[in-house]
Amino acid sequence: MMRWAYEELSTGKWLIDQIWRAASEKGLKTGRKNFWQIIRNPIYCGRIPIAKYKEEEAHTAKGQHEAIISEGLFYKVMDVLNGRNKPKKTTICSPDMLPLRGFLICPECGSMLSGSASKGYNNYYHYYHCIAKCGVRYNAEKVNKLFIEELKKYTIDPVLHEAYAMILKQVYQYVSSEDNNELASVKKQLEDFNIRFSKARDKMLNDVILDFEYRKIKSDCEKNILILENRLINLSRGKENIIQLIGKATGLLKNLHETYLEADSAGKRRLISSIYPQKLTFDGTQHRTVRMNEAVRVLGT
Ligand SMILES: [Zn+2]
């Protein structure tokens, strides 16, 4: 009986109360509250709960008794009960076949196209479609293929690739010159504190200032030097990666359609939304868009 209850619960299709009622009808003689408690008792998967004791946290230990259900099943049910394993809607359409779902606008009515699969003779056919009333429907394979053709238009000429990388580098250096000014200022302050510190030491050694005065200056200088050194580290951090980053960015554009083809479902969707800030309209023969990412547009044409 308990094994049955765990198995049903693990599917995530039922509420614990539904299972309790069904089990009661099958002859289980325990109250609802008690059922809620015993379901969470690891004793059914062969473990004994051990309460918190002194320094030791509450935990479970392997018991000598025979387990009614596996630990895997027990913890799966715990996940369901704790809401971590929400029942998933079963779907026959594969997201890999419909990467453009959510990005396409119906050319007839302006609604967002959805994607589905229908079963053919021995295969599923995927398509993007509008609401039933509108009736617009496109073969997903064809739409996906044409989208890749569209991406190819924005692929950078390899000859120009180097030039783009160089321009980006120069722009970056120009933009980061402000950072460089701050860097120089921090270095100068650091030097000043170091000079002040060594001067104070000389004065102390020559009995110009007293020992406690020297110690005060010393601790003041050390504190400031520490702060400035941290600023220095922060300012120079990340600079060394910029060349690599530029290479990666222009490399991505160089092979935009290849990058897209190699990406997984989530990666494809990220790429699409970064290239096209607005949705695409597929009119049956080609993709159209009102606006696309400036960088891609400028570099690709
Ligand atoms: Zn429509």
Side-chain angles (χ1 to χ4, degrees), residues 2 5-6 16 20 28-45 69 74 78 81:
M2 286 314 284
Y6 276 107
I16 185 164
W20 168 70
L28 180 82
K29 297 217 183 322
T30 182
R32 176 178 170 274
K33 206 178 153 207
N34 196 31
F35 185 71
W36 276 63
Q37 275 165 3
I38 58 178
I39 269 301
R40 289 179 183 273
N41 193 332
I43 213 147
Y44 289 105
C45 67
I69 57 162
F74 177 79
M78 290 308 106
L81 295 184

PDB file of all heavy atoms in Angstrom, residues 2 5-6 16 20 28-45 69 74 78 81:
ATOM      1  N   MET A   2       1.862   1.308   0.894  1.00  0.00           N
ATOM      2  CA  MET A   2       2.698   2.504   0.962  1.00  0.00           C
ATOM      3  C   MET A   2       3.513   2.665  -0.316  1.00  0.00           C
ATOM      4  O   MET A   2       3.711   3.760  -0.806  1.00  0.00           O
ATOM      5  CB  MET A   2       3.621   2.465   2.186  1.00  0.00           C
ATOM      6  CG  MET A   2       2.918   2.718   3.494  1.00  0.00           C
ATOM      7  SD  MET A   2       1.767   4.123   3.458  1.00  0.00           S
ATOM      8  CE  MET A   2       2.930   5.481   3.522  1.00  0.00           C
ATOM      9  N   ALA A   5       1.431   4.218  -2.826  1.00  0.00           N
ATOM     10  CA  ALA A   5       1.241   5.647  -2.548  1.00  0.00           C
ATOM     11  C   ALA A   5       2.454   6.455  -3.017  1.00  0.00           C
ATOM     12  O   ALA A   5       2.314   7.507  -3.652  1.00  0.00           O
ATOM     13  CB  ALA A   5       1.011   5.863  -1.053  1.00  0.00           C
ATOM     14  N   TYR A   6       3.659   5.939  -2.717  1.00  0.00           N
ATOM     15  CA  TYR A   6       4.879   6.651  -3.131  1.00  0.00           C
ATOM     16  C   TYR A   6       4.990   6.714  -4.648  1.00  0.00           C
ATOM     17  O   TYR A   6       5.328   7.741  -5.224  1.00  0.00           O
ATOM     18  CB  TYR A   6       6.125   5.975  -2.548  1.00  0.00           C
ATOM     19  CG  TYR A   6       6.435   6.405  -1.140  1.00  0.00           C
ATOM     20  CD1 TYR A   6       6.222   5.553  -0.067  1.00  0.00           C
ATOM     21  CD2 TYR A   6       6.949   7.676  -0.883  1.00  0.00           C
ATOM     22  CE1 TYR A   6       6.501   5.933   1.227  1.00  0.00           C
ATOM     23  CE2 TYR A   6       7.227   8.073   0.419  1.00  0.00           C
ATOM     24  CZ  TYR A   6       7.007   7.197   1.471  1.00  0.00           C
ATOM     25  OH  TYR A   6       7.286   7.594   2.741  1.00  0.00           O
ATOM     26  N   ILE A  16      -1.305  15.182  -2.391  1.00  0.00           N
ATOM     27  CA  ILE A  16      -1.150  14.179  -1.329  1.00  0.00           C
ATOM     28  C   ILE A  16      -2.516  13.764  -0.757  1.00  0.00           C
ATOM     29  O   ILE A  16      -2.737  12.596  -0.443  1.00  0.00           O
ATOM     30  CB  ILE A  16      -0.165  14.685  -0.247  1.00  0.00           C
ATOM     31  CG1 ILE A  16       0.108  13.595   0.800  1.00  0.00           C
ATOM     32  CG2 ILE A  16      -0.624  15.956   0.421  1.00  0.00           C
ATOM     33  CD1 ILE A  16       1.327  13.855   1.659  1.00  0.00           C
ATOM     34  N   TRP A  20      -4.186  10.098  -0.286  1.00  0.00           N
ATOM     35  CA  TRP A  20      -4.656   9.641   1.034  1.00  0.00           C
ATOM     36  C   TRP A  20      -6.089   9.100   0.931  1.00  0.00           C
ATOM     37  O   TRP A  20      -6.404   8.037   1.441  1.00  0.00           O
ATOM     38  CB  TRP A  20      -4.597  10.787   2.047  1.00  0.00           C
ATOM     39  CG  TRP A  20      -5.321  10.466   3.328  1.00  0.00           C
ATOM     40  CD1 TRP A  20      -4.939   9.569   4.272  1.00  0.00           C
ATOM     41  CD2 TRP A  20      -6.563  11.021   3.757  1.00  0.00           C
ATOM     42  NE1 TRP A  20      -5.865   9.515   5.281  1.00  0.00           N
ATOM     43  CE2 TRP A  20      -6.870  10.406   4.989  1.00  0.00           C
ATOM     44  CE3 TRP A  20      -7.436  11.981   3.244  1.00  0.00           C
ATOM     45  CZ2 TRP A  20      -8.029  10.722   5.707  1.00  0.00           C
ATOM     46  CZ3 TRP A  20      -8.583  12.300   3.957  1.00  0.00           C
ATOM     47  CH2 TRP A  20      -8.877  11.668   5.168  1.00  0.00           C
ATOM     48  N   LEU A  28      -6.548   1.668   3.777  1.00  0.00           N
ATOM     49  CA  LEU A  28      -5.577   2.278   4.696  1.00  0.00           C
ATOM     50  C   LEU A  28      -6.313   2.868   5.897  1.00  0.00           C
ATOM     51  O   LEU A  28      -7.289   3.587   5.725  1.00  0.00           O
ATOM     52  CB  LEU A  28      -4.791   3.382   3.979  1.00  0.00           C
ATOM     53  CG  LEU A  28      -3.745   4.112   4.809  1.00  0.00           C
ATOM     54  CD1 LEU A  28      -2.455   3.318   4.858  1.00  0.00           C
ATOM     55  CD2 LEU A  28      -3.490   5.502   4.272  1.00  0.00           C
ATOM     56  N   LYS A  29      -5.824   2.532   7.097  1.00  0.00           N
ATOM     57  CA  LYS A  29      -6.522   3.028   8.271  1.00  0.00           C
ATOM     58  C   LYS A  29      -5.648   4.036   9.012  1.00  0.00           C
ATOM     59  O   LYS A  29      -5.061   3.743  10.039  1.00  0.00           O
ATOM     60  CB  LYS A  29      -6.873   1.859   9.219  1.00  0.00           C
ATOM     61  CG  LYS A  29      -7.815   0.874   8.568  1.00  0.00           C
ATOM     62  CD  LYS A  29      -8.817   0.325   9.531  1.00  0.00           C
ATOM     63  CE  LYS A  29      -9.722  -0.709   8.895  1.00  0.00           C
ATOM     64  NZ  LYS A  29     -10.114  -0.422   7.516  1.00  0.00           N
ATOM     65  N   THR A  30      -5.552   5.196   8.434  1.00  0.00           N
ATOM     66  CA  THR A  30      -4.810   6.243   9.127  1.00  0.00           C
ATOM     67  C   THR A  30      -5.404   7.593   8.748  1.00  0.00           C
ATOM     68  O   THR A  30      -5.929   7.769   7.643  1.00  0.00           O
ATOM     69  CB  THR A  30      -3.306   6.172   8.819  1.00  0.00           C
ATOM     70  OG1 THR A  30      -2.648   7.187   9.556  1.00  0.00           O
ATOM     71  CG2 THR A  30      -2.993   6.358   7.364  1.00  0.00           C
ATOM     72  N   GLY A  31      -5.366   8.507   9.699  1.00  0.00           N
ATOM     73  CA  GLY A  31      -5.942   9.832   9.471  1.00  0.00           C
ATOM     74  C   GLY A  31      -5.128  10.626   8.471  1.00  0.00           C
ATOM     75  O   GLY A  31      -3.998  10.272   8.148  1.00  0.00           O
ATOM     76  N   ARG A  32      -5.726  11.708   7.998  1.00  0.00           N
ATOM     77  CA  ARG A  32      -5.069  12.543   7.002  1.00  0.00           C
ATOM     78  C   ARG A  32      -3.761  13.135   7.535  1.00  0.00           C
ATOM     79  O   ARG A  32      -2.733  13.095   6.875  1.00  0.00           O
ATOM     80  CB  ARG A  32      -6.032  13.672   6.601  1.00  0.00           C
ATOM     81  CG  ARG A  32      -5.460  14.663   5.639  1.00  0.00           C
ATOM     82  CD  ARG A  32      -6.513  15.699   5.277  1.00  0.00           C
ATOM     83  NE  ARG A  32      -5.904  16.791   4.539  1.00  0.00           N
ATOM     84  CZ  ARG A  32      -5.336  17.838   5.115  1.00  0.00           C
ATOM     85  NH1 ARG A  32      -5.329  17.940   6.429  1.00  0.00           N
ATOM     86  NH2 ARG A  32      -4.783  18.779   4.389  1.00  0.00           N
ATOM     87  N   LYS A  33      -3.818  13.644   8.764  1.00  0.00           N
ATOM     88  CA  LYS A  33      -2.648  14.303   9.338  1.00  0.00           C
ATOM     89  C   LYS A  33      -1.511  13.295   9.531  1.00  0.00           C
ATOM     90  O   LYS A  33      -0.352  13.573   9.233  1.00  0.00           O
ATOM     91  CB  LYS A  33      -3.021  14.924  10.687  1.00  0.00           C
ATOM     92  CG  LYS A  33      -2.138  16.109  11.040  1.00  0.00           C
ATOM     93  CD  LYS A  33      -2.564  16.737  12.351  1.00  0.00           C
ATOM     94  CE  LYS A  33      -1.366  17.410  12.986  1.00  0.00           C
ATOM     95  NZ  LYS A  33      -1.482  17.465  14.434  1.00  0.00           N
ATOM     96  N   ASN A  34      -1.889  12.131  10.017  1.00  0.00           N
ATOM     97  CA  ASN A  34      -0.906  11.076  10.242  1.00  0.00           C
ATOM     98  C   ASN A  34      -0.265  10.629   8.923  1.00  0.00           C
ATOM     99  O   ASN A  34       0.938  10.401   8.839  1.00  0.00           O
ATOM    100  CB  ASN A  34      -1.593   9.894  10.945  1.00  0.00           C
ATOM    101  CG  ASN A  34      -0.569   8.950  11.547  1.00  0.00           C
ATOM    102  OD1 ASN A  34       0.513   9.386  11.952  1.00  0.00           O
ATOM    103  ND2 ASN A  34      -0.896   7.672  11.589  1.00  0.00           N
ATOM    104  N   PHE A  35      -1.112  10.561   7.874  1.00  0.00           N
ATOM    105  CA  PHE A  35      -0.627  10.163   6.561  1.00  0.00           C
ATOM    106  C   PHE A  35       0.413  11.165   6.055  1.00  0.00           C
ATOM    107  O   PHE A  35       1.462  10.785   5.522  1.00  0.00           O
ATOM    108  CB  PHE A  35      -1.803  10.054   5.585  1.00  0.00           C
ATOM    109  CG  PHE A  35      -1.416   9.540   4.225  1.00  0.00           C
ATOM    110  CD1 PHE A  35      -1.056   8.211   4.051  1.00  0.00           C
ATOM    111  CD2 PHE A  35      -1.404  10.389   3.125  1.00  0.00           C
ATOM    112  CE1 PHE A  35      -0.702   7.733   2.805  1.00  0.00           C
ATOM    113  CE2 PHE A  35      -1.043   9.916   1.869  1.00  0.00           C
ATOM    114  CZ  PHE A  35      -0.697   8.589   1.716  1.00  0.00           C
ATOM    115  N   TRP A  36       0.134  12.443   6.256  1.00  0.00           N
ATOM    116  CA  TRP A  36       1.076  13.501   5.856  1.00  0.00           C
ATOM    117  C   TRP A  36       2.422  13.292   6.543  1.00  0.00           C
ATOM    118  O   TRP A  36       3.461  13.545   5.957  1.00  0.00           O
ATOM    119  CB  TRP A  36       0.518  14.883   6.244  1.00  0.00           C
ATOM    120  CG  TRP A  36      -0.433  15.436   5.240  1.00  0.00           C
ATOM    121  CD1 TRP A  36      -1.630  14.894   4.886  1.00  0.00           C
ATOM    122  CD2 TRP A  36      -0.270  16.614   4.459  1.00  0.00           C
ATOM    123  NE1 TRP A  36      -2.233  15.660   3.926  1.00  0.00           N
ATOM    124  CE2 TRP A  36      -1.427  16.730   3.642  1.00  0.00           C
ATOM    125  CE3 TRP A  36       0.711  17.592   4.363  1.00  0.00           C
ATOM    126  CZ2 TRP A  36      -1.608  17.782   2.750  1.00  0.00           C
ATOM    127  CZ3 TRP A  36       0.525  18.640   3.474  1.00  0.00           C
ATOM    128  CH2 TRP A  36      -0.622  18.725   2.670  1.00  0.00           C
ATOM    129  N   GLN A  37       2.378  12.860   7.797  1.00  0.00           N
ATOM    130  CA  GLN A  37       3.620  12.677   8.543  1.00  0.00           C
ATOM    131  C   GLN A  37       4.376  11.425   8.119  1.00  0.00           C
ATOM    132  O   GLN A  37       5.579  11.467   7.885  1.00  0.00           O
ATOM    133  CB  GLN A  37       3.333  12.611  10.047  1.00  0.00           C
ATOM    134  CG  GLN A  37       3.260  13.987  10.676  1.00  0.00           C
ATOM    135  CD  GLN A  37       2.615  13.962  12.059  1.00  0.00           C
ATOM    136  OE1 GLN A  37       2.263  12.891  12.574  1.00  0.00           O
ATOM    137  NE2 GLN A  37       2.465  15.133  12.641  1.00  0.00           N
ATOM    138  N   ILE A  38       3.618  10.338   7.961  1.00  0.00           N
ATOM    139  CA  ILE A  38       4.339   9.091   7.670  1.00  0.00           C
ATOM    140  C   ILE A  38       4.932   9.082   6.263  1.00  0.00           C
ATOM    141  O   ILE A  38       5.958   8.469   6.023  1.00  0.00           O
ATOM    142  CB  ILE A  38       3.479   7.808   7.918  1.00  0.00           C
ATOM    143  CG1 ILE A  38       2.208   7.819   7.087  1.00  0.00           C
ATOM    144  CG2 ILE A  38       3.169   7.629   9.388  1.00  0.00           C
ATOM    145  CD1 ILE A  38       1.373   6.548   7.267  1.00  0.00           C
ATOM    146  N   ILE A  39       4.289   9.791   5.347  1.00  0.00           N
ATOM    147  CA  ILE A  39       4.815   9.864   3.975  1.00  0.00           C
ATOM    148  C   ILE A  39       6.211  10.479   3.975  1.00  0.00           C
ATOM    149  O   ILE A  39       7.076  10.133   3.171  1.00  0.00           O
ATOM    150  CB  ILE A  39       3.824  10.681   3.088  1.00  0.00           C
ATOM    151  CG1 ILE A  39       2.787   9.778   2.416  1.00  0.00           C
ATOM    152  CG2 ILE A  39       4.531  11.534   2.075  1.00  0.00           C
ATOM    153  CD1 ILE A  39       3.237   8.696   1.510  1.00  0.00           C
ATOM    154  N   ARG A  40       6.452  11.391   4.904  1.00  0.00           N
ATOM    155  CA  ARG A  40       7.747  12.066   4.972  1.00  0.00           C
ATOM    156  C   ARG A  40       8.761  11.322   5.852  1.00  0.00           C
ATOM    157  O   ARG A  40       9.861  11.812   6.081  1.00  0.00           O
ATOM    158  CB  ARG A  40       7.570  13.496   5.506  1.00  0.00           C
ATOM    159  CG  ARG A  40       6.890  14.411   4.513  1.00  0.00           C
ATOM    160  CD  ARG A  40       6.706  15.802   5.082  1.00  0.00           C
ATOM    161  NE  ARG A  40       5.996  16.679   4.158  1.00  0.00           N
ATOM    162  CZ  ARG A  40       6.591  17.397   3.203  1.00  0.00           C
ATOM    163  NH1 ARG A  40       7.890  17.341   3.056  1.00  0.00           N
ATOM    164  NH2 ARG A  40       5.883  18.162   2.401  1.00  0.00           N
ATOM    165  N   ASN A  41       8.360  10.164   6.342  1.00  0.00           N
ATOM    166  CA  ASN A  41       9.257   9.412   7.220  1.00  0.00           C
ATOM    167  C   ASN A  41      10.200   8.525   6.397  1.00  0.00           C
ATOM    168  O   ASN A  41       9.758   7.637   5.674  1.00  0.00           O
ATOM    169  CB  ASN A  41       8.411   8.539   8.164  1.00  0.00           C
ATOM    170  CG  ASN A  41       9.244   7.977   9.292  1.00  0.00           C
ATOM    171  OD1 ASN A  41      10.451   7.771   9.132  1.00  0.00           O
ATOM    172  ND2 ASN A  41       8.612   7.743  10.424  1.00  0.00           N
ATOM    173  N   PRO A  42      11.502   8.755   6.505  1.00  0.00           N
ATOM    174  CA  PRO A  42      12.458   8.012   5.674  1.00  0.00           C
ATOM    175  C   PRO A  42      12.549   6.526   6.013  1.00  0.00           C
ATOM    176  O   PRO A  42      13.251   5.772   5.341  1.00  0.00           O
ATOM    177  CB  PRO A  42      13.784   8.711   5.947  1.00  0.00           C
ATOM    178  CG  PRO A  42      13.623   9.338   7.290  1.00  0.00           C
ATOM    179  CD  PRO A  42      12.170   9.712   7.402  1.00  0.00           C
ATOM    180  N   ILE A  43      11.829   6.121   7.033  1.00  0.00           N
ATOM    181  CA  ILE A  43      11.847   4.716   7.446  1.00  0.00           C
ATOM    182  C   ILE A  43      11.418   3.800   6.297  1.00  0.00           C
ATOM    183  O   ILE A  43      11.887   2.672   6.174  1.00  0.00           O
ATOM    184  CB  ILE A  43      10.942   4.534   8.690  1.00  0.00           C
ATOM    185  CG1 ILE A  43      11.507   3.436   9.599  1.00  0.00           C
ATOM    186  CG2 ILE A  43       9.513   4.268   8.345  1.00  0.00           C
ATOM    187  CD1 ILE A  43      11.250   3.702  11.062  1.00  0.00           C
ATOM    188  N   TYR A  44      10.570   4.339   5.376  1.00  0.00           N
ATOM    189  CA  TYR A  44      10.094   3.520   4.256  1.00  0.00           C
ATOM    190  C   TYR A  44      11.169   3.224   3.226  1.00  0.00           C
ATOM    191  O   TYR A  44      11.039   2.312   2.438  1.00  0.00           O
ATOM    192  CB  TYR A  44       8.884   4.183   3.583  1.00  0.00           C
ATOM    193  CG  TYR A  44       7.668   4.111   4.468  1.00  0.00           C
ATOM    194  CD1 TYR A  44       7.215   5.234   5.150  1.00  0.00           C
ATOM    195  CD2 TYR A  44       7.020   2.897   4.649  1.00  0.00           C
ATOM    196  CE1 TYR A  44       6.119   5.150   5.997  1.00  0.00           C
ATOM    197  CE2 TYR A  44       5.932   2.807   5.494  1.00  0.00           C
ATOM    198  CZ  TYR A  44       5.486   3.928   6.170  1.00  0.00           C
ATOM    199  OH  TYR A  44       4.418   3.840   7.004  1.00  0.00           O
ATOM    200  N   CYS A  45      12.234   4.066   3.206  1.00  0.00           N
ATOM    201  CA  CYS A  45      13.300   3.747   2.258  1.00  0.00           C
ATOM    202  C   CYS A  45      14.481   3.147   3.006  1.00  0.00           C
ATOM    203  O   CYS A  45      15.621   3.177   2.554  1.00  0.00           O
ATOM    204  CB  CYS A  45      13.710   4.963   1.436  1.00  0.00           C
ATOM    205  SG  CYS A  45      14.510   6.263   2.373  1.00  0.00           S
ATOM    206  N   ILE A  69      10.540   0.960  -0.128  1.00  0.00           N
ATOM    207  CA  ILE A  69      10.769   1.656  -1.407  1.00  0.00           C
ATOM    208  C   ILE A  69      12.239   2.071  -1.479  1.00  0.00           C
ATOM    209  O   ILE A  69      12.935   2.105  -0.470  1.00  0.00           O
ATOM    210  CB  ILE A  69       9.885   2.927  -1.542  1.00  0.00           C
ATOM    211  CG1 ILE A  69      10.137   3.872  -0.360  1.00  0.00           C
ATOM    212  CG2 ILE A  69       8.418   2.551  -1.636  1.00  0.00           C
ATOM    213  CD1 ILE A  69       9.684   5.274  -0.593  1.00  0.00           C
ATOM    214  N   PHE A  74      11.904   7.683  -2.677  1.00  0.00           N
ATOM    215  CA  PHE A  74      11.546   8.473  -1.501  1.00  0.00           C
ATOM    216  C   PHE A  74      11.873   9.947  -1.718  1.00  0.00           C
ATOM    217  O   PHE A  74      11.037  10.831  -1.522  1.00  0.00           O
ATOM    218  CB  PHE A  74      12.275   7.948  -0.260  1.00  0.00           C
ATOM    219  CG  PHE A  74      11.998   8.772   0.980  1.00  0.00           C
ATOM    220  CD1 PHE A  74      10.813   8.604   1.683  1.00  0.00           C
ATOM    221  CD2 PHE A  74      12.916   9.714   1.422  1.00  0.00           C
ATOM    222  CE1 PHE A  74      10.546   9.364   2.814  1.00  0.00           C
ATOM    223  CE2 PHE A  74      12.648  10.487   2.555  1.00  0.00           C
ATOM    224  CZ  PHE A  74      11.461  10.297   3.241  1.00  0.00           C
ATOM    225  N   MET A  78       9.694  13.420  -2.037  1.00  0.00           N
ATOM    226  CA  MET A  78       9.934  14.597  -1.199  1.00  0.00           C
ATOM    227  C   MET A  78      10.029  15.851  -2.074  1.00  0.00           C
ATOM    228  O   MET A  78       9.517  16.899  -1.727  1.00  0.00           O
ATOM    229  CB  MET A  78      11.220  14.442  -0.375  1.00  0.00           C
ATOM    230  CG  MET A  78      11.140  13.387   0.739  1.00  0.00           C
ATOM    231  SD  MET A  78       9.721  13.586   1.843  1.00  0.00           S
ATOM    232  CE  MET A  78       8.680  12.241   1.281  1.00  0.00           C
ATOM    233  N   LEU A  81       6.573  16.804  -3.133  1.00  0.00           N
ATOM    234  CA  LEU A  81       5.824  17.393  -2.018  1.00  0.00           C
ATOM    235  C   LEU A  81       6.341  18.783  -1.672  1.00  0.00           C
ATOM    236  O   LEU A  81       5.589  19.648  -1.254  1.00  0.00           O
ATOM    237  CB  LEU A  81       5.895  16.488  -0.769  1.00  0.00           C
ATOM    238  CG  LEU A  81       5.215  15.123  -0.898  1.00  0.00           C
ATOM    239  CD1 LEU A  81       5.282  14.375   0.416  1.00  0.00           C
ATOM    240  CD2 LEU A  81       3.763  15.259  -1.347  1.00  0.00           C
TER     241      LEU A  81
END
